[in-house]
Amino acid sequence: MAEAETPNRSPEIRKDKIHNRWVLFSPARSRRPSDFKAKSNPQPNNQTECPFCAGHEHECAPEIFRVPADSTNDWKIRVIQNLYPAVSRELDFQNPVSLVGDVAVSGFGFHDVVIESPVHSVNLSDLSPAQVGEVLLACKKRIEQLRSCDSIKYVQVFKNHGASAGASMSHSHSQMIALPIVPPTVSARLDSMMEYYKQTGKCSLCDIQPNELLIAESDHFISLVPFAATFAFEIWIIPRDHSSHFHEIDSEKAVDLGGLLKLMLLKMSLQLNNPPFNLLIHTSPFQDDPSYAHSTHWFLQIAPHLSGVGGFEIATGCYINPVFPEDAAKILRDVRISNNNI
């Protein structure tokens, strides 16, 4: 395994210019950066079959589409409605904008599941770059379908891996929730990126100089540990070309991203003992202000769960990260993955 240490380093408070928040780096509270490992396998159970497996399609909520479209029992990916949705597509949409005070409106929206493989034991990192690309393109296709609903303003794509990261099913899958509002964290991110653009004339992500924060790169993407990483060993994958919306990705870039994403997941799993994690796609709202086009830039975040969130974080919104990003990046850079696994 890779080794890296920053001896006698003092705590730092760093500004996250993308989300307009502060992160406290306190290495003295922790062991050596290279000693960080997940405590145990994150899978919620030891099932070998479940409703997401091939042959159990009748146990799932209604299917939206599958890949390939004309497949029967030999499907590769299925996009289905969530059997236990957080929001309901059956409700009437109520516009909350005109209301004041304590506001409660119907929980209208769409909550879907992307089953990434028909085989229960296969993880996203087990797929080939092209297959990971197909999963990403399935997400793109569903987002484009959701755009046709005028009431939907934002779609959040996310993946929970491991019970402590929110996964209730161990079969590899992603989810997306389409909302009639723009979540406040998204608005804050867009405003922060716009403020950076007003001050510098540059997109904050296009302007990143990774240097010692770089982990790896491909033709169309770079992967790095962000300067003010919220979580230990957090990874961002950023398109090289300026793009506001994830659903603008094409097939070539999806496969390229699939390869880099697979590499990051393998490095993280090997170095951190297959930790629970959340994978998040940060994109822009559908009906975004054209003036934001030059400042907003989508990216993918991988957030491992290696420690809990305490009262300080909840009270302040300022997270404590025990591993400096430069150390985390070096450790992940130095993790060697066999070509047979790529």
Side-chain angles (χ1 to χ4, degrees):
M1 289 299 136
E3 295 290 332
E5 289 187 76
T6 306
N8 303 320
R9 192 162 183 177
S10 300
E12 285 184 11
I13 303 175
R14 293 187 178 185
K15 177 72 174 291
D16 177 351
K17 66 183 180 183
I18 307 301
H19 297 99
N20 191 29
R21 61 191 180 202
W22 294 90
V23 179
L24 173 58
F25 291 89
S26 184
R29 293 169 56 87
S30 173
R31 50 201 179 275
R32 294 186 306 169
S34 55
D35 289 340
F36 267 82
K37 309 284 180 186
K39 293 180 180 178
S40 60
N41 190 299
Q43 295 305 333
N45 54 51
N46 294 317
Q47 285 180 293
T48 57
E49 287 191 9
C50 74
F52 288 175
C53 293
H56 293 258
E57 293 83 357
H58 61 284
E59 300 176 35
C60 295
E63 181 179 300
I64 300 168
F65 65 85
R66 61 177 57 190
V67 180
D70 58 353
S71 59
T72 53
N73 294 331
D74 57 342
W75 56 270
K76 297 179 181 178
I77 300 166
R78 288 208 314 138
V79 179
I80 64 173
Q81 297 179 22
N82 193 308
L83 192 59
Y84 305 102
V87 289
S88 174
R89 67 195 74 210
E90 306 299 331
L91 296 175
D92 293 329
F93 168 66
Q94 296 174 283
N95 190 344
V97 176
S98 60
L99 303 177
V100 296
D102 293 331
V103 176
V105 297
S106 66
F108 168 77
F110 298 83
H111 190 173
D112 302 327
V113 175
V114 181
I115 304 172
E116 298 162 351
S117 167
V119 181
H120 189 87
S121 60
V122 171
N123 290 315
L124 186 62
S125 58
D126 296 323
L127 301 178
S128 69
Q131 290 171 327
V132 178
E134 286 184 323
V135 172
L136 296 168
L137 290 173
C139 293
K140 165 194 167 91
K141 178 178 178 179
R142 181 56 183 152
I143 292 171
E144 289 179 327
Q145 291 175 345
L146 291 165
R147 286 182 69 200
S148 65
C149 179
D150 292 338
S151 301
I152 294 300
K153 291 184 170 59
Y154 189 79
V155 178
Q156 181 61 61
V157 178
F158 61 100
K159 177 181 177 64
N160 302 329
H161 174 78
S164 63
S168 58
M169 300 279 286
S170 57
H171 192 124
S172 189
H173 67 284
S174 300
Q175 301 180 63
M176 58 182 72
I177 296 181
L179 297 169
I181 60 168
V182 178
T185 301
V186 175
S187 296
R189 167 169 55 86
L190 300 179
D191 290 343
S192 182
M193 297 176 91
M194 171 58 87
E195 185 61 28
Y196 185 91
Y197 181 78
K198 287 179 177 178
Q199 293 182 12
T200 66
K202 300 175 182 178
C203 162
S204 52
L205 288 183
C206 291
D207 199 33
I208 283 181
Q209 303 297 321
N211 300 323
E212 58 188 343
L213 297 173
L214 183 71
I215 305 170
E217 52 191 332
S218 65
D219 289 343
H220 300 289
F221 296 88
I222 63 170
S223 63
L224 52 79
V225 178
F227 171 77
T230 302
F231 306 99
F233 293 93
E234 176 181 343
I235 298 170
W236 288 8
I237 302 180
I238 304 170
R240 292 182 184 272
D241 296 333
H242 185 78
S243 174
S244 298
H245 294 92
F246 165 74
H247 66 258
E248 295 172 341
I249 195 169
D250 60 25
S251 298
E252 177 188 346
K253 290 181 179 178
V255 174
D256 188 58
L257 175 56
L260 190 56
L261 174 55
K262 175 184 173 73
L263 178 62
M264 292 303 99
L265 293 175
L266 288 172
K267 281 177 173 279
M268 186 176 68
S269 179
L270 187 59
Q271 176 63 37
L272 304 177
N273 191 32
N274 187 23
F277 67 83
N278 299 112
L279 188 156
L280 315 164
I281 295 177
H282 298 286
T283 185
S284 296
F286 289 149
Q287 302 155 9
D288 53 340
D289 186 332
S291 66
Y292 281 74
H294 295 295
S295 62
T296 57
H297 193 137
W298 76 267
F299 65 99
L300 187 152
Q301 175 190 17
I302 307 171
H305 287 238
L306 298 171
S307 58
V309 174
F312 176 79
E313 287 89 349
I314 294 172
T316 64
C318 179
Y319 283 71
I320 300 174
N321 187 337
V323 181
F324 274 97
E326 293 80 5
D327 292 339
K330 182 182 188 314
I331 290 167
L332 291 171
R333 236 184 356 257
D334 290 347
V335 174
R336 299 298 174 223
I337 303 297
S338 166
N339 288 334
N340 294 332
N341 294 323
I342 302 294

